[in-house]
Amino acid sequence: MAKRLVLLVLCSISNFVACINDPASNVQDILPKLLAKTQTHALTARPYLLLTVINNAYRDVGFNGLVAMARFGVTPVWLCGDEQVVSWLSKANVDCIFLPWGRQHGLGSLWYLRMLLAREILKHDVDVLLVDSDAVWLQDAMGSIHAELSPPNKAHVIAQRGSFPHTGLGAALCCGFLYLKADAETVKLLERVAPPSAPSGFDDQQALNEGVIAHAEAYGKPIQWHTPPETQNHQFHLTFNAPTVARGSFGLLNVSYLPHPQFMRKCKPDADFRRLPHVKLAHCQSGKHATSKHMSLQDHGLWFLPSNRTTYEPRLPTTIPNQRVSSMQQLGDTLAKLAGYE
């Protein structure tokens, strides 16, 4: 099979130095290429883009997540932080949008650039789903998203629960599984979250959670909760491991915190997800480097790729986009069965 290298060069030669030092330049170059990849999900009937950031260190972890979600007909647009992972993905005929700015400034800057891209995508009436490379789909999570988007919930922001940062609400929105609806209120939020220039030490999850609270404060009224109260000391308190959705209005922004037992973040050391059929998405906390992610995924029965090789060399039979999705689904199904999933 002929190999093809898909390296989407996003800086003109004359503007290269400015581009690699200016994330706004990256966004304007990348945006048309991203919008061209917009999909419409059959269930939500809304145009959306699923974005996953990856670099060469996380390539096996990312491909593991890719084949897991492909079982449900869902494929990401990968935002790549270095040329090595672009070259590697070309072996599987998987397109990857190269982020030159991220190459120089590290992972934290990639998260900032991801938020800038999300904001601009929303302005074009396209929803955004952000999924981390180590978040493993075990069921079709789009059903839960559809329920929160639909009346009476009408959510603008839908996320897995996290524990950071500590904002006083008891749980946080996790950017590792975050759905943003294209709406004027969501764009306002993202303008708070991703200012024109990256602040020193930018953390997207901290910025998002502080941003939703600031959004409520800008309307001059308290957060209004629409679900049965999760209380602590007789005050509303989001419980990290709550089994139901928590829904609140932050000003005019409707936010849904997904139930932790179905969208799991804190995983017990002995948890084997092959024996936990209620879990839709497993995004287990682990060390922030690829080796820890890989070991955690294997320990929890979440590793779908062959484990008897140092690195996985993906091979898919076609370069035709429509057939590629089908082939990726078949690959995901096959590897899932080998890993012990029905």
Side-chain angles (χ1 to χ4, degrees):
M1 179 184 70
K3 297 179 181 179
R4 65 188 183 118
L5 176 62
V6 182
L7 175 57
L8 302 181
V9 179
L10 303 170
C11 299
S12 65
I13 298 299
S14 62
N15 194 40
F16 186 77
V17 174
C19 182
I20 63 174
N21 288 289
D22 178 14
S25 296
N26 273 227
V27 168
Q28 296 310 313
D29 286 331
I30 295 167
L31 190 60
K33 298 174 177 67
L34 278 175
L35 292 174
K37 297 178 178 293
T38 299
Q39 307 173 55
T40 299
H41 195 272
L43 186 58
T44 65
R46 294 185 59 84
Y48 81 109
L49 282 166
L50 193 166
L51 304 180
T52 296
V53 174
I54 191 172
N55 64 11
N56 194 52
Y58 280 77
R59 66 187 196 181
D60 286 356
V61 170
F63 204 82
N64 183 74
L66 173 64
V67 298
M69 70 173 70
R71 298 163 61 204
F72 309 105
V74 179
T75 52
V77 177
W78 273 0
L79 306 176
C80 291
D82 53 54
E83 297 96 327
Q84 294 96 321
V85 73
V86 177
S87 176
W88 184 79
L89 286 171
S90 71
K91 298 173 183 177
N93 302 305
V94 176
D95 293 348
C96 187
I97 294 182
F98 175 49
L99 306 179
W101 191 71
R103 175 186 61 183
Q104 286 210 338
H105 298 268
L107 274 177
S109 298
L110 287 174
W111 306 144
Y112 172 68
L113 185 53
R114 181 175 71 166
M115 283 297 184
L116 285 181
L117 288 168
R119 184 190 69 196
E120 296 305 309
I121 293 167
L122 295 174
K123 291 178 181 178
H124 288 78
D125 296 321
V126 176
D127 296 355
V128 175
L129 174 56
L130 303 180
V131 180
D132 279 359
S133 60
D134 61 325
V136 178
W137 293 49
L138 300 174
Q139 298 182 40
D140 189 351
M142 295 303 290
S144 296
I145 290 172
H146 175 59
E148 297 309 307
L149 290 172
S150 303
N153 301 323
K154 296 184 179 180
H156 299 95
V157 178
I158 306 163
Q160 176 185 36
R161 297 185 189 215
S163 56
F164 172 83
H166 304 293
T167 60
L169 296 182
L173 299 164
C174 178
C175 290
F177 187 82
L178 171 67
Y179 194 95
L180 301 166
K181 179 183 177 182
D183 183 272
E185 286 300 312
T186 321
V187 171
K188 288 180 185 177
L189 171 66
L190 267 288
E191 287 173 343
R192 298 179 188 277
V193 171
S197 59
S200 177
F202 177 83
D203 183 285
D204 58 343
Q205 192 158 305
Q206 182 171 354
L208 175 69
N209 283 277
E210 292 176 352
V212 294
I213 292 174
H215 200 87
E217 292 173 348
Y219 282 90
K221 52 185 179 181
I223 302 166
Q224 182 180 359
W225 297 101
H226 307 293
T227 49
E230 302 169 17
T231 59
Q232 181 173 295
N233 298 326
H234 305 291
Q235 293 184 346
F236 190 95
H237 182 86
L238 289 171
T239 305
F240 184 85
N241 61 352
T244 56
V245 180
R247 303 182 182 99
S249 293
F250 293 66
L252 298 180
L253 186 81
N254 296 329
V255 179
S256 294
Y257 294 76
L258 294 169
H260 183 261
Q262 294 179 26
F263 293 83
M264 199 165 287
R265 183 71 175 127
K266 286 187 177 180
C267 307
K268 294 181 179 179
D270 60 349
D272 184 341
F273 286 91
R274 289 166 291 197
R275 297 179 175 85
L276 298 173
H278 61 279
V279 179
K280 295 184 178 181
L281 179 108
H283 181 209
C284 299
Q285 287 180 332
S286 58
K288 292 187 178 296
H289 48 86
T291 301
S292 292
K293 301 291 185 190
H294 190 159
M295 292 178 61
S296 174
L297 291 166
Q298 286 189 317
D299 290 346
H300 290 103
L302 296 169
W303 193 255
F304 292 84
L305 306 183
S307 299
N308 59 347
R309 306 176 66 159
T310 304
T311 58
Y312 181 64
E313 296 295 338
R315 292 286 189 274
L316 292 181
T318 180
T319 61
I320 303 172
N322 289 337
Q323 293 184 15
R324 187 191 323 150
V325 172
S326 176
S327 298
M328 189 67 79
Q329 285 181 284
Q330 292 170 10
L331 177 63
D333 287 338
T334 299
L335 292 175
K337 289 177 182 177
L338 290 174
Y341 289 86
E342 293 298 327

